[in-house]
Amino acid sequence: MKKTCESYFVIQSAGTLDYEKGFLPEENSAFPPDEMTEILGIQPFRTHVNPKNHCCLWCACLQSEPDVLRTEQPERIAETLFPLIEKLNGIKEKYHVFFRIEIYPYEEREDSYGTLWISPKVSDFCARTGTGIIVDIYYYEPKNDF
């Protein structure tokens, strides 16, 4: 079965996107990704530091179908991070960053009906940490090999 959905947790520098100048970070929003790994005790699957404007990104808790159903992905992320709420809020006190759970349903399966589930536990985690939820529902055309 092909991967049809993936979800993960993101810590990102705060800032704004200027179409002429690019990403403009806010004051005190740059952070060392290795520090997030050390504080949370979770290995990220992706990090990015842009030395030009000090934008930082730390992504972890990757969940993907078919291993984890899309309806369970946000719940598993919240369960992993719930014991770390105090540490996450400490990160927000030290750095001006945003937290979010990103969900990418790549394609529809006949048996899925496009269902996503944001449980009360996920909502509670998001409320306690100021975490947003992003669902990317843009349809990506399959690549043609000709």
Side-chain angles (χ1 to χ4, degrees), residues 71 74-76 78-79 116-126 133:
T71 55
E75 180 87 16
R76 286 205 182 178
E79 286 173 354
L116 291 172
W117 168 247
I118 306 301
S119 72
K121 186 170 192 169
V122 174
S123 297
D124 186 30
F125 167 78
C126 290
I133 297 174

Side-chain angles (χ1 to χ4, degrees), residues 5-26:
C5 185
E6 73 177 18
S7 303
Y8 51 88
F9 180 74
V10 177
I11 301 174
Q12 182 177 350
S13 298
T16 57
L17 182 61
D18 181 296
Y19 290 102
E20 293 179 11
K21 298 177 185 175
F23 184 79
L24 303 173
E26 293 184 12

Side-chain angles (χ1 to χ4, degrees), residues 28 86-97 99:
N28 196 35
E86 189 174 313
K87 291 179 179 183
L88 288 164
N89 287 331
I91 289 169
K92 274 196 165 178
E93 287 178 22
K94 185 173 182 179
Y95 297 104
H96 190 179
V97 295
F99 299 153

